[in-house]
Amino acid sequence: MEKIDRLGWAAGVSFEAFGLRVGIRVRDQQVLNSLISRIPGQWSLRNSAEVDRLYSVVTPAVIRRNVRPLYVLYGDHGRLSRTERFEEMLDSFESDLDLYIAANSPETLFIHAGAVRWKEHAILIPGRSRTGKTSLVAEFLHAGASYYSDDLAIVDRSGYLHPYPRPLSVRIANDTSRRVRPEDLGAESAKSGRISVVLFTEYVASASWCPSRITHGQGILRLLQNVPSARKQPALVIDVLENAIKNAEVQASYRGEKESTVNSVLNYLDCRSVA
Amino acid sequence: MSDSQIFDELKRSRFNRRPLIVKQIGAEWVLYDEQTSTAHCLNGVAAEIWTACEEETSGTDIKVALRFERPDVRDEDILASLNEMLKLGILEESTSSEAVSVSRRELVRKLGLTAAIALPIAITSVLVPPAAAAASCGHLGALCSGTKPCCPGIGLGCVAGTCVGVGH
């Protein structure tokens, strides 16, 4: 850390987000502005330099012709990325900050899940990477749902789901991904509310959506596997999860194509509303 | 195996609940073990057996505790469940070593095979992953680090901070 401290810093900021104190220091004010644009949710500036996590970004002092610039991002004393692409460094910052907050926030529960709202129903889709969460979220948005989140859903201590408006990370050719803003899919930000239905699902080419209801206890067990802070504060996490799904139906099924799955879910919710 | 063998085993054995985080969710109980980062969901009968194991509780004490509410639960169900709970680490056995019968393991093994079909007791367990594993992983070409690993199972490795194909 001392070596990094000696590098000489031109600008910095200290802020609080989701109950955590975070600092950023840079050698270039422009870089700081770009990093600030990636801070999630509601955050506030702080005057104190005392922070829980400190990000340091080293950029070239002078851009020379024929020499590629190198951007190095540190999280506390560990190097997080070293890249020639500025956007990549920003993505790395955003990803690490998200995980740091998700794993440590004392006031908000983060669930690795997509979440959308259809009429009065908040739909939570927890799941590991590569289970098809994002494609399902995008399809719900195409169908007219509003948007909470693509990757990290946030729930307050009373169990209310809130938007965590990050762009969707849509997978494209060669297994790489690109960021798509929900507005580009015609979606609005969803209003906070109670979860109506939790869908544990995974794409399997030959499958079709045929859900079975699972108990809340089993649902909590599965959700625990998708909560980054579960090991750190298990008692609190279990309490919040119980609150969050107490009025929700928990369903599990493999699924086939996203269009038919979304149609089935929306039809079901519409019928439930009428009943 | 005879009923008397099972009864003797219940009478001899002593159990204690391990200190876990406990939450009742409707008729089920969710337990969390901070030492092993494992969560368990017990159905009503399993929870009653587990909660009955307060301090050096014998198998027969448990049988008595369940007598009125769960008259259908058989001795072999109780013994098999206690054994399952010991294996999962949510109970500790405090039976003195002299009291443990030589044939105990064999008895429980046989019970496990026969009781598994009809057992009214259900326990589900999951390992809760560390923070990084409970969040998104890096795809091909994505940046990776100690806090953001590459997605497992698709032949990716973190090389010089980037997820690249490492083949199988």
Side-chain angles (χ1 to χ4, degrees):
Chain A
M1 194 70 164
E2 278 179 21
K3 277 186 183 173
I4 307 173
D5 288 343
R6 285 200 298 265
L7 286 172
W9 302 99
V13 67
S14 165
F15 63 93
E16 185 168 333
F18 298 98
L20 296 165
R21 303 166 305 173
V22 181
I24 306 173
R25 58 186 177 179
V26 295
R27 299 168 83 177
D28 178 340
Q29 180 66 43
Q30 289 297 321
V31 173
L32 183 62
N33 295 340
S34 300
L35 290 163
I36 287 173
S37 73
R38 298 292 190 105
I39 301 172
Q42 292 184 334
W43 55 275
S44 55
L45 282 172
R46 298 177 65 251
N47 290 323
S48 168
E50 197 177 318
V51 292
D52 303 309
R53 184 153 178 86
L54 177 62
Y55 290 98
S56 311
V57 179
V58 180
T59 47
V62 182
I63 304 284
R64 294 198 177 87
R65 285 177 70 184
N66 302 326
V67 178
R68 288 178 179 168
L70 206 54
Y71 303 95
V72 187
L73 170 70
Y74 295 90
D76 294 334
H77 56 273
R79 194 173 72 190
L80 298 175
S81 82
R82 183 174 180 272
T83 174
E84 293 164 6
R85 285 178 288 178
F86 184 61
E87 279 296 313
E88 221 171 62
M89 184 276 292
L90 292 178
D91 289 348
S92 192
F93 165 73
E94 181 181 302
S95 161
D96 191 84
L97 180 61
D98 277 349
L99 179 59
Y100 177 72
I101 291 173
N104 296 285
S105 174
E107 57 188 41
T108 306
L109 182 71
F110 286 72
I111 305 172
H112 190 203
V116 296
R117 189 179 183 88
W118 173 254
K119 299 175 185 170
E120 73 274 27
H121 300 290
I123 305 166
L124 186 74
I125 312 159
R128 300 287 181 89
S129 291
R130 307 184 62 81
T131 53
K133 279 194 315 287
T134 298
S135 21
L136 212 51
V137 166
E139 189 58 32
F140 272 115
L141 300 187
H142 277 304
S146 51
Y147 182 65
Y148 284 109
S149 68
D150 161 41
D151 194 51
L152 284 171
I154 60 173
V155 175
D156 67 25
R157 284 191 177 210
S158 324
Y160 277 80
L161 184 65
H162 298 277
Y164 192 68
R166 290 286 200 205
L168 287 84
S169 182
V170 178
R171 200 149 304 142
I172 50 175
N174 296 330
D175 213 29
T176 55
S177 55
R178 74 184 165 92
R179 294 157 64 88
V180 177
R181 295 180 312 157
E183 305 89 273
D184 297 338
L185 299 172
E188 292 176 355
S189 182
K191 62 179 181 187
S192 303
R194 288 234 171 250
I195 298 169
S196 294
V197 62
V198 182
L199 309 177
F200 287 101
T201 186
E202 189 171 336
Y203 174 73
V204 173
S206 57
S208 56
W209 175 249
C210 189
S212 53
R213 282 177 80 153
I214 61 172
T215 64
H216 281 189
Q218 300 285 343
I220 286 175
L221 231 57
R222 290 193 183 202
L223 283 168
L224 279 171
Q225 295 182 294
N226 293 286
V227 174
S229 63
R231 282 193 179 192
K232 185 171 178 152
Q233 41 191 7
L236 174 69
V237 169
I238 293 170
D239 278 347
V240 175
L241 288 177
E242 185 204 9
N243 247 334
I245 65 166
K246 69 179 171 194
N247 298 319
E249 230 175 79
V250 187
Q251 302 184 347
S253 169
Y254 287 111
R255 71 168 178 87
E257 295 311 316
K258 57 193 179 193
E259 296 84 357
S260 56
T261 306
V262 166
N263 273 336
S264 302
V265 173
L266 296 183
N267 284 338
Y268 172 74
L269 290 174
D270 285 343
C271 290
R272 205 174 88 172
S273 298
V274 172
Chain B
M1 105 207 70
S2 68
D3 288 351
S4 65
Q5 269 182 300
I6 296 169
F7 184 79
D8 286 347
E9 204 56 51
L10 284 177
K11 201 171 160 188
R12 253 196 301 265
S13 310
R14 295 283 184 279
F15 302 94
N16 289 328
R17 286 195 309 241
R18 282 209 38 236
L20 306 174
I21 293 169
V22 179
K23 181 85 186 174
Q24 187 171 3
I25 314 278
E28 298 168 310
W29 288 55
V30 171
L31 314 180
Y32 184 81
D33 186 339
E34 291 182 279
Q35 279 181 16
T36 60
S37 303
T38 311
H40 312 270
C41 180
L42 279 56
N43 74 349
V45 195
E48 283 172 38
I49 293 176
W50 186 76
T51 47
C53 299
E54 275 187 288
E55 205 171 310
E56 306 271 312
T57 308
S58 73
T60 41
D61 292 339
I62 295 164
K63 192 181 160 188
V64 170
L66 294 179
R67 184 176 48 192
F68 295 112
E69 295 290 323
R70 308 279 184 185
D72 52 326
V73 178
R74 300 166 307 167
D75 287 1
E76 54 258 51
D77 295 338
I78 295 174
L79 190 58
S81 305
L82 290 168
N83 187 57
E84 182 66 16
M85 289 178 194
L86 287 173
K87 276 200 293 190
L88 292 171
I90 60 177
L91 276 189
E92 284 167 343
E93 186 166 13
S94 53
T95 314
S96 65
S97 52
E98 310 88 73
V100 176
S101 69
V102 180
S103 59
R104 166 88 176 275
R105 190 167 293 172
E106 180 62 13
L107 178 66
V108 166
R109 192 184 66 79
K110 284 180 186 164
L111 280 176
L113 293 176
T114 54
I117 304 162
L119 215 58
I121 287 121
I123 307 171
T124 315
S125 304
V126 298
L127 179 68
V128 174
S136 278
C137 52
H139 308 294
L140 184 67
L143 295 171
C144 50
S145 63
T147 54
K148 186 177 182 183
C150 301
C151 293
I154 50 171
L156 293 180
C158 190
V159 177
T162 305
C163 294
V164 296
V166 291
H168 290 286

Short mmCIF file of all heavy atoms in Angstrom, two decimals, chain A residues 9 15 19 70 124 133 155-156 168 190 195 204 229 232:
data_model
loop_
_atom_site.label_atom_id
_atom_site.label_comp_id
_atom_site.label_asym_id
_atom_site.label_seq_id
_atom_site.Cartn_x
_atom_site.Cartn_y
_atom_site.Cartn_z
N TRP A 9 -1.00 11.82 -5.96
CA TRP A 9 -2.40 11.81 -6.41
C TRP A 9 -2.89 13.23 -6.63
O TRP A 9 -2.65 14.12 -5.82
CB TRP A 9 -3.27 11.07 -5.40
CG TRP A 9 -2.77 9.67 -5.21
CD1 TRP A 9 -1.99 9.20 -4.20
CD2 TRP A 9 -2.95 8.58 -6.10
NE1 TRP A 9 -1.68 7.87 -4.39
CE2 TRP A 9 -2.27 7.47 -5.56
CE3 TRP A 9 -3.63 8.40 -7.31
CZ2 TRP A 9 -2.25 6.22 -6.17
CZ3 TRP A 9 -3.61 7.17 -7.90
CH2 TRP A 9 -2.93 6.09 -7.34
N PHE A 15 -16.94 8.99 -0.50
CA PHE A 15 -18.41 8.99 -0.52
C PHE A 15 -18.97 7.83 0.31
O PHE A 15 -18.23 6.89 0.66
CB PHE A 15 -18.95 8.92 -1.96
CG PHE A 15 -18.58 7.66 -2.70
CD1 PHE A 15 -19.42 6.56 -2.70
CD2 PHE A 15 -17.39 7.57 -3.40
CE1 PHE A 15 -19.10 5.39 -3.39
CE2 PHE A 15 -17.04 6.42 -4.10
CZ PHE A 15 -17.90 5.32 -4.09
N GLY A 19 -24.43 2.51 3.14
CA GLY A 19 -23.87 2.36 4.48
C GLY A 19 -22.39 2.07 4.51
O GLY A 19 -21.84 1.76 5.56
N LEU A 70 -1.60 2.89 -20.33
CA LEU A 70 -1.97 1.76 -19.49
C LEU A 70 -2.73 2.28 -18.28
O LEU A 70 -2.29 3.21 -17.62
CB LEU A 70 -0.70 1.03 -19.05
CG LEU A 70 -0.80 -0.43 -18.70
CD1 LEU A 70 -1.42 -1.24 -19.82
CD2 LEU A 70 0.59 -0.96 -18.38
N LEU A 124 -38.87 -11.75 -9.06
CA LEU A 124 -37.44 -11.92 -8.75
C LEU A 124 -36.95 -13.20 -9.43
O LEU A 124 -37.58 -14.25 -9.31
CB LEU A 124 -37.24 -12.01 -7.24
CG LEU A 124 -35.81 -12.04 -6.74
CD1 LEU A 124 -35.17 -10.64 -6.85
CD2 LEU A 124 -35.72 -12.51 -5.29
N LYS A 133 -30.50 -15.49 -16.86
CA LYS A 133 -31.23 -14.43 -16.16
C LYS A 133 -31.44 -13.21 -17.04
O LYS A 133 -32.53 -12.68 -17.16
CB LYS A 133 -30.43 -13.94 -14.94
CG LYS A 133 -30.52 -14.75 -13.72
CD LYS A 133 -29.97 -14.02 -12.50
CE LYS A 133 -28.67 -13.30 -12.69
NZ LYS A 133 -27.50 -14.16 -12.80
N VAL A 155 -32.84 -5.30 -1.71
CA VAL A 155 -33.99 -5.42 -0.82
C VAL A 155 -33.64 -4.71 0.49
O VAL A 155 -32.55 -4.94 1.03
CB VAL A 155 -34.29 -6.92 -0.54
CG1 VAL A 155 -35.40 -7.07 0.47
CG2 VAL A 155 -34.65 -7.65 -1.83
N ASP A 156 -34.55 -3.85 0.96
CA ASP A 156 -34.26 -3.18 2.24
C ASP A 156 -34.64 -4.10 3.40
O ASP A 156 -35.17 -5.20 3.21
CB ASP A 156 -34.93 -1.81 2.31
CG ASP A 156 -36.45 -1.90 2.35
OD1 ASP A 156 -36.98 -2.94 2.79
OD2 ASP A 156 -37.11 -0.93 1.94
N LEU A 168 -28.10 -3.63 -18.63
CA LEU A 168 -28.11 -5.09 -18.74
C LEU A 168 -26.81 -5.52 -19.42
O LEU A 168 -26.30 -4.83 -20.30
CB LEU A 168 -29.27 -5.57 -19.61
CG LEU A 168 -30.67 -5.50 -19.02
CD1 LEU A 168 -31.27 -4.13 -19.19
CD2 LEU A 168 -31.56 -6.53 -19.70
N ALA A 190 -38.67 0.50 -12.36
CA ALA A 190 -39.83 0.01 -11.60
C ALA A 190 -39.92 0.72 -10.25
O ALA A 190 -38.90 1.13 -9.70
CB ALA A 190 -39.70 -1.49 -11.37
N ILE A 195 -42.14 -8.38 -3.20
CA ILE A 195 -41.95 -9.42 -4.21
C ILE A 195 -43.22 -10.29 -4.28
O ILE A 195 -43.72 -10.75 -3.26
CB ILE A 195 -40.73 -10.29 -3.87
CG1 ILE A 195 -39.45 -9.42 -3.86
CG2 ILE A 195 -40.58 -11.44 -4.86
CD1 ILE A 195 -38.24 -10.11 -3.28
N VAL A 204 -32.70 -24.69 -20.39
CA VAL A 204 -32.29 -25.99 -20.93
C VAL A 204 -33.00 -26.12 -22.27
O VAL A 204 -34.22 -25.98 -22.35
CB VAL A 204 -32.70 -27.16 -19.99
CG1 VAL A 204 -32.42 -28.51 -20.64
CG2 VAL A 204 -31.96 -27.06 -18.67
N SER A 229 -23.63 -11.45 0.80
CA SER A 229 -23.31 -11.17 2.20
C SER A 229 -23.79 -12.28 3.14
O SER A 229 -23.73 -12.13 4.35
CB SER A 229 -23.95 -9.84 2.63
OG SER A 229 -25.36 -9.92 2.54
N LYS A 232 -21.35 -13.42 5.75
CA LYS A 232 -20.89 -12.37 6.65
C LYS A 232 -21.94 -12.06 7.73
O LYS A 232 -21.61 -11.82 8.88
CB LYS A 232 -20.57 -11.11 5.84
CG LYS A 232 -19.97 -10.01 6.67
CD LYS A 232 -19.47 -8.87 5.83
CE LYS A 232 -18.94 -7.80 6.76
NZ LYS A 232 -17.91 -7.01 6.19
#
